Amino acid sequence: MIVPTNALFKHAYGKYAIGAYNINNLEQTMGLFQGNLQSKAPFIIQISKGARSYTHKKMLEAMLKTADEIFPDAVFAVHLDHGDEATCLDCIKSGLYSSIMIDASHESYDKNVEITKRVVDAGHAKGLSVEAELGQLKGIEEDIKADDHVFTRPDEAVDFVKKTGCDSLACAIGTSHGAFKFKGAQKLKFDILEAIQKLMPGFPLVMHGSSSVPEDEVRRINYFGGAMKDAKGVDENSFALAAKLGVTKINIDTDGRLVWTRVHREYFALYPENFDLRPVGKVFMAEYARFIANKNKKLASAGQLDAVREFCKASKK
Ligand code: G3H
Ligand code: 13P
Ligand code: ZN
């Protein structure tokens, strides 16, 4: 059942966070649904601009519609990750998406407000909720590079939400995209979330760049020929605190890519005579499902499925 993202946030706020998982292909889609059903968790499927053009946006959309049909117990939202204005408008038109993210965080404050407000108006007119971003994560986001963290300013966040009407806000607190997030110990600024929550109690926040880059995955990748030196992610034990401070959505893409890489490197090293894509695909789907189910336990979204389904049905009436 595809549900409004806002309904998921309302149910989760202050108690747990919803896993927002990026997918690109069929095997990820199957593993994602299976893992969420195994752990009885609601979830958000994230589609990036890159994912939409990897094969064809309609191929992804058709796959998600079919997944909704063949997994009738699943409760999920479909979300555009890091959209520009044109992509947001295209997703609004598609009729499949529950929500979109407009990312104009690289623009000046006033321009970010202006673009975000236009997308919010267009999204709300069609019943979609809109995530925006204020502050910037260090590193590369789609094709835009930031050399350092630009932390979100709580006072500015209040003004931004008031001016744009956005439904949720991605905050920069020291995470970054990819597999190399910290040199040394993790440094996250939870005081930013705390201050925003005090100023806007009940308003849903989003944590990007939240893969945990498990040491064991990296070790196995490197053992079978990978070259990922000094990879480091976010401590999964931080998710509970983040959820308490108003984070309702936690974005995870890199970890899924690591599972894919580990499975394929390991499989073909162990079975060098094999050239069939299905046996390794089966291993990946099962391993990805296992990863998702474990992640949902850390997010505390595991076990919420039945309650969320009832909540969404009741809020539709
Ligand atoms: O924030 C970026 C996401 O991890 C999506 O990555 O643009 O390579 O699909 P992508
Ligand atoms: P990771 O690179 O940490 O998985 O972050 C993904 C993300 O924020 C997608 O928007
Ligand atoms: Zn992101």
Side-chain angles (χ1 to χ4, degrees):
M1 177 167 82
I2 301 180
V3 297
T5 307
N6 273 348
L8 295 182
F9 288 169
K10 235 181 234 161
H11 192 264
Y13 189 91
K15 301 194 289 282
Y16 65 94
I18 313 272
Y21 300 104
N22 289 67
I23 55 123
N24 292 269
N25 69 11
L26 174 68
E27 285 80 5
Q28 281 182 309
T29 307
M30 292 301 287
L32 181 63
F33 276 80
Q34 284 159 354
N36 282 298
L37 284 172
Q38 279 162 21
S39 55
K40 291 191 140 291
F43 61 106
I44 296 173
I45 297 179
Q46 301 213 110
I47 313 286
S48 70
K49 274 197 296 170
R52 281 162 56 85
S53 60
Y54 169 55
T55 52
H56 195 289
K57 61 187 181 186
K58 286 199 180 292
M59 189 66 90
L60 271 185
E61 289 174 10
M63 218 160 55
L64 296 183
K65 278 184 206 152
T66 303
D68 188 27
E69 221 177 281
I70 63 179
F71 297 107
D73 292 338
V75 175
F76 63 102
V78 181
H79 178 79
L80 167 69
D81 189 27
H82 293 287
D84 54 22
E85 190 169 1
T87 313
C88 284
L89 297 181
D90 198 47
C91 290
I92 294 170
K93 223 168 54 193
S94 88
L96 179 74
Y97 287 75
S98 318
S99 52
I100 46 184
M101 175 189 188
I102 172 69
D103 183 357
S105 60
H106 52 283
E107 302 281 2
S108 69
Y109 181 75
D110 289 342
K111 194 95 190 151
N112 190 356
V113 167
E114 184 194 314
I115 297 170
T116 300
K117 168 98 177 72
R118 269 204 304 272
V119 171
V120 167
D121 290 346
H124 285 181
K126 295 284 179 195
L128 282 79
S129 51
V130 180
E131 173 184 334
E133 180 166 334
L134 188 62
Q136 256 188 300
L137 272 63
K138 186 177 168 183
I140 300 179
E141 247 169 56
E142 293 285 343
D143 42 8
I144 293 145
K145 188 170 182 284
D147 291 329
D148 220 335
H149 301 289
V150 182
F151 295 116
T152 307
R153 284 177 38 194
D155 54 331
E156 225 173 46
V158 176
D159 184 68
F160 185 85
V161 169
K162 208 154 102 197
K163 284 185 174 144
T164 62
C166 66
D167 303 275
S168 60
L169 190 66
C171 298
I173 62 162
T175 63
S176 56
H177 293 112
F180 305 91
K181 299 185 194 297
F182 308 104
K183 286 200 177 77
Q186 157 176 313
K187 285 183 217 80
L188 293 184
K189 292 181 71 63
F190 286 107
D191 56 310
I192 295 178
L193 300 178
E194 204 178 339
I196 296 178
Q197 190 183 41
K198 273 212 181 94
L199 294 166
M200 291 190 287
F203 187 81
L205 304 177
V206 179
M207 243 171 88
H208 282 244
S210 297
S211 278
S212 56
V213 190
E215 266 173 41
D216 194 50
E217 293 294 342
V218 175
R219 188 186 53 74
R220 288 164 78 175
I221 287 170
N222 287 340
Y223 186 78
F224 286 103
M228 297 189 63
K229 204 174 166 300
D230 300 329
K232 193 160 182 147
V234 172
D235 181 354
E236 292 177 314
N237 297 316
S238 319
F239 295 161
L241 174 61
K244 209 171 133 218
L245 297 175
V247 171
T248 52
K249 173 172 176 277
I250 293 198
N251 285 13
I252 291 155
D253 183 1
T254 296
D255 282 349
R257 297 178 187 209
L258 294 178
V259 174
W260 188 95
T261 305
R262 183 260 298 170
V263 165
H264 287 79
R265 280 195 178 279
E266 223 167 58
Y267 185 88
F268 287 112
L270 295 173
Y271 303 99
E273 73 290 353
N274 200 329
F275 54 91
D276 189 347
L277 70 155
R278 286 182 307 216
V280 68
K282 278 190 178 166
V283 177
F284 169 73
M285 287 187 273
E287 285 293 280
Y288 189 49
R290 196 165 66 98
F291 157 76
I292 296 284
N294 285 333
K295 188 66 79 179
N296 290 338
K297 285 185 197 143
K298 295 287 180 184
L299 297 167
S301 61
Q304 296 288 345
L305 184 63
D306 295 334
V308 168
R309 187 183 303 104
E310 290 317 309
F311 181 80
C312 290
K313 279 186 188 159
S315 33
K316 241 191 347 197
K317 282 176 200 153

